[in-house]
Amino acid sequence: MGFKRGDAVLIRRPSDIAPSEITPREVYLNRRQWMAGAAGLALAGALPFRLEAAPLTAAKSAFSTDEKPTSREDVTSYNNFYEFGTGKDDPAARAKSLKTSPWTVKVDGLVGKPAEFGIEDLIKSSALEERIYRMRCVEGWSMVIPWVGFPMADLVKRVEPLGSAKYVAFETAYRPEEMPGVQSVFPVLDWPYVEGLRLDEAMHPLTILAVGLYGETLPNQNGAPIRLVVPWKYGFKGIKSITRISFVEKQPETSWNKQAPDEYGFYANVNPNVDHPRWSQATERRIGEGGLFVKRRPTLPFNGYADQVASLYAGMDLRKFY
Ligand code: MTE
């Protein structure tokens, strides 16, 4: 897995040592750009089904932070998307093989109006907003990302959940033939990637389904064509390339919780006071802030969104419900 000194990692295996760990950043960046270019040339023409980056018109949102966004280069080249490998540069190099058009999102379970949305129709019929959010990965790094998306609550209302629906379960596409990481004989996770939210978390105005970033449709490595963004939770809650959303009565299983229940909880709210068993969560490294002497930033409760979301967890022991 590609990481910098001082970062924690979700898991670590000897086979995960990436060139970025043993090569200076400038050198591997150049190599990576070259590889991405070569892969792009080889695939252009061969992949007519790939949704090309298209501009998206979006309204500005009062929910945006005024912090400086992380560069587009960093947002789209330093990723976690294990279906395409465990290295930080694997998704940018390999996720081009994912066919994102046509694409449908099935919404089912405890709803009055189950539906299957074609991605283009869903985008066209949604009120898109630009939301510049602070994002904090459980591994100890953070970014500021100008997402384009729409409130998850808008979709929830369209399908009319029944009173018995208490949670929302999400599922990523499962396509071994398009996902080299899923073909691995030593699977890192139990595929497909699954995630979940309590219904009130899903309905919270900060929770969005993102379909773009930096004013254009999502690059595949960031979860094209549609992914979840919950800015007060660790990044692994933000499930990518969603094909199914189900309304359920019981707390659904989540991929990282199944993999290591002591390390990754269902709630995964950003919390500087509750350490990961193997590392502290008190500080973070902002991607793009290079240099030997750049200080790590303090991590904020609920990633700085406590005023808006802390009430969702009133009376809960956040050490127990991590
Ligand atoms: N979704 C799927 N399907 N597979 C993944 O491996 N990784 C998660 C999350 N969503 C992941 C995923 C993790 S650990 C993080 S930090 C974020 O995606 C990273 O999102 P980004 O690459 O767009 O910054």
Side-chain angles (χ1 to χ4, degrees):
M1 185 186 281
F3 62 94
K4 284 239 193 154
R5 199 171 320 195
D7 279 359
V9 288
L10 287 171
I11 49 151
R12 241 204 123 173
R13 296 171 187 207
S15 60
D16 285 335
I17 308 288
S20 50
E21 288 183 73
I22 47 177
T23 314
R25 183 173 161 80
E26 310 71 56
V27 178
Y28 86 76
L29 269 179
N30 286 335
R31 185 159 68 219
R32 191 168 65 196
Q33 278 156 1
W34 182 85
M35 288 192 303
L41 278 180
L43 289 169
L47 298 177
F49 37 75
R50 202 184 143 237
L51 205 68
E52 288 305 321
L56 292 169
T57 310
K60 298 259 175 261
S61 165
F63 288 112
S64 288
T65 170
D66 51 16
E67 284 175 70
K68 184 171 170 278
T70 306
S71 74
R72 190 180 195 287
E73 163 67 17
D74 280 335
V75 170
T76 60
S77 64
Y78 190 89
N79 304 102
N80 277 334
F81 200 166
Y82 279 22
E83 285 86 336
F84 300 95
T86 55
K88 292 285 178 276
D89 41 11
D90 284 338
R94 301 162 90 188
K96 290 181 181 67
S97 54
L98 183 67
K99 299 176 197 173
T100 59
S101 177
W103 190 278
T104 56
V105 181
K106 187 177 182 177
V107 189
D108 63 1
L110 303 171
V111 290
K113 290 190 171 166
E116 188 148 348
F117 296 98
I119 190 65
E120 281 86 2
D121 289 344
L122 187 56
I123 292 177
K124 265 187 230 139
S125 61
S126 298
L128 297 186
E129 290 176 27
E130 182 184 65
R131 297 278 186 105
I132 308 173
Y133 279 163
R134 276 184 300 277
M135 305 300 299
R136 170 65 155 79
C137 180
V138 74
E139 297 168 334
W141 46 271
S142 63
M143 298 193 190
V144 175
I145 304 186
W147 299 109
V148 177
F150 58 89
M152 171 82 202
D154 290 357
L155 183 80
V156 174
K157 286 175 203 149
R158 280 164 82 158
V159 296
E160 300 179 2
L162 307 178
S164 50
K166 298 284 183 271
Y167 294 87
V168 186
F170 300 82
E171 205 173 291
T172 292
Y174 175 71
R175 300 192 192 155
E177 64 288 357
E178 295 172 27
M179 297 173 155
V182 170
Q183 295 167 21
S184 165
V185 275
F186 301 109
V188 186
L189 292 170
D190 183 14
W191 314 109
Y193 197 99
V194 289
E195 257 305 335
L197 293 173
R198 244 173 32 195
L199 184 59
D200 60 341
E201 296 177 320
M203 298 281 291
H204 191 279
L206 283 174
T207 303
I208 59 168
L209 287 166
V211 295
L213 58 81
Y214 266 106
E216 291 185 344
T217 48
L218 283 176
N220 283 6
Q221 60 268 35
N222 292 93
I226 184 163
R227 60 90 58 86
L228 181 67
V229 175
V230 194
W232 71 93
K233 292 179 181 282
Y234 291 117
F236 67 85
K237 297 296 287 182
I239 180 172
K240 295 179 169 181
S241 306
I242 298 168
T243 51
R244 188 172 176 195
I245 301 176
S246 306
F247 289 73
V248 296
E249 195 174 343
K250 300 223 164 66
Q251 184 175 304
E253 286 192 318
T254 61
S255 285
W256 280 103
N257 184 250
K258 275 195 281 182
Q259 171 72 20
D262 302 341
E263 303 189 11
Y264 312 106
F266 174 80
Y267 282 92
N269 293 318
V270 175
N271 191 338
N273 305 315
V274 176
D275 287 337
H276 185 279
R278 292 184 281 130
W279 59 81
S280 163
Q281 292 292 24
T283 63
E284 64 200 49
R285 178 173 67 90
R286 181 64 54 86
I287 298 293
E289 291 183 341
L292 267 181
F293 302 105
V294 172
K295 276 215 198 120
R296 290 174 69 88
R297 294 166 174 254
T299 287
L300 302 171
F302 299 103
N303 201 26
Y305 297 96
D307 286 353
Q308 292 99 311
V309 301
S311 60
L312 293 175
Y313 311 100
M316 283 173 69
D317 178 354
L318 297 179
R319 288 186 177 277
K320 192 167 163 221
F321 297 100
Y322 55 93

